[in-house]
Amino acid sequence: MSYSSPTSPYRADANGFFGEFGGAALPPFLVEPIAEVATAYAEASQDPDFLEELQALLSKYVGRPSLLYFAENLTRQLGGARVYLKREDLNHTGAHKINHCLGEALLAKRMGKTKVIAETGAGQHGVALATAAALVGLECEIHMGEIDIAKQHPNVVRMELLGAKVIPVSAGGRSLKEAVDSAFAVYAGAPEEYFFAIGSVVGPHPYPSMVRDFQSVVGREARAQILEAEGRLPDVLVAAVGGGSNAMGLFDAFLTDESVRIVGVEPGGEGLHGTRHAATMTLGTPGTLHGMHTRVLQDSDGEPAPVHSIASGLDYPGVGPQHVRLAELGRAQYVSVTDAETLAAFRTLSRVEGIIPALESSHALAHVMQLAPTLPADAIVIANLSGRGDKDVDYVAELIHGE
Ligand SMILES: *Cc1c(COP(=O)(O)O)cnc(C)c1O
């Protein structure tokens, strides 16, 4: 696992730049603590003991490898390519996030930290991190806007049951942006105690490369599983892109398989015409956000724009810098689907396969449902089913009944 490489066009350079994107744009007080994380991870990623310990947790605790499931009913209904689903929804905690949270928790411990800290919006990252911290034996502190605390009460209860301290943030808009600032302020005050755990392939170097590496088990498994099942590589990979971690996790092992087409699916929300979407790859412009140079949906003052998605986990005005690089190099393609298309896919998979997908993952499925019928019957598509939809059923019921 070589997280940076001077030779691969798809990897970051030693300073964490994917072409001109990525890097570590930080206020002076954060430069040193984050550089310390980069050094520690560079060592850990070369240490067989660290990698073995992580792999052992992934198999014995998370339940890996996750299934690569041939969706035969869906394939028949769509009438085209053979559709496989990478079942990250079957992981302990029900999504892919546990993969990188365990990696970050183990690294925190290796660095001698006693606490992990993070912000959370909808609470998914907070719950996954609190789970990893409970297992590994670290304290966990999650900063969350007061508005989000009210909206996501079940996740607050989960985090507290798991032993995490949830810190309500009352500044400004009382949401994710303020929670990020609040968590970073605490972290900067005591970096010797805390490890800052970022929830996607975003933020300053080394996080985009490190979180990708922790998620890359998804693609390594899928590659071996499809070779076993079909005797050849897939034609297309499809994954939803918020920050981009489940997508990079699936894509990474296939980047140098040039015959494999790679598609990321963004939240098109209520359509790309107004501002009610979060299609950063499609409509974002170069900017700096959360310590990285990337594409950003921003207003005329360069402030991150308010964004919208039916899936709260995709509701982010930035995107991981490696995705921007892959798009520039023509190695991956980024499309969007609307909330309505997503909801239809959510219902279809539930009914046809008996699998209730997360609304985030339903973005990938919505694109597969458009794409598969256009492909020949011997084509193979793998979609990343990044999480289960139990968390979304009440919200979906409201939408369906128009409450
Ligand atoms: C958080 C989340 C996402 C979005 O995050 P990425 O970093 O873009 O993968 C996707 N699916 C599920 C189930 C999530 O919880």
Side-chain angles (χ1 to χ4, degrees), residues 94-97 100 124-125 199-201 240-248 312-314 323 358-361 385-388 391:
H96 72 289
K97 285 193 174 76
H100 66 244
Q124 300 302 116
H125 175 51
S200 188
V201 287
V241 176
S245 66
N246 86 88
M248 277 315 310
S312 53
L314 302 182
H323 286 289
L359 281 169
E360 289 82 2
S361 324
L385 190 47
S386 55
R388 66 177 180 227
K391 67 184 178 59

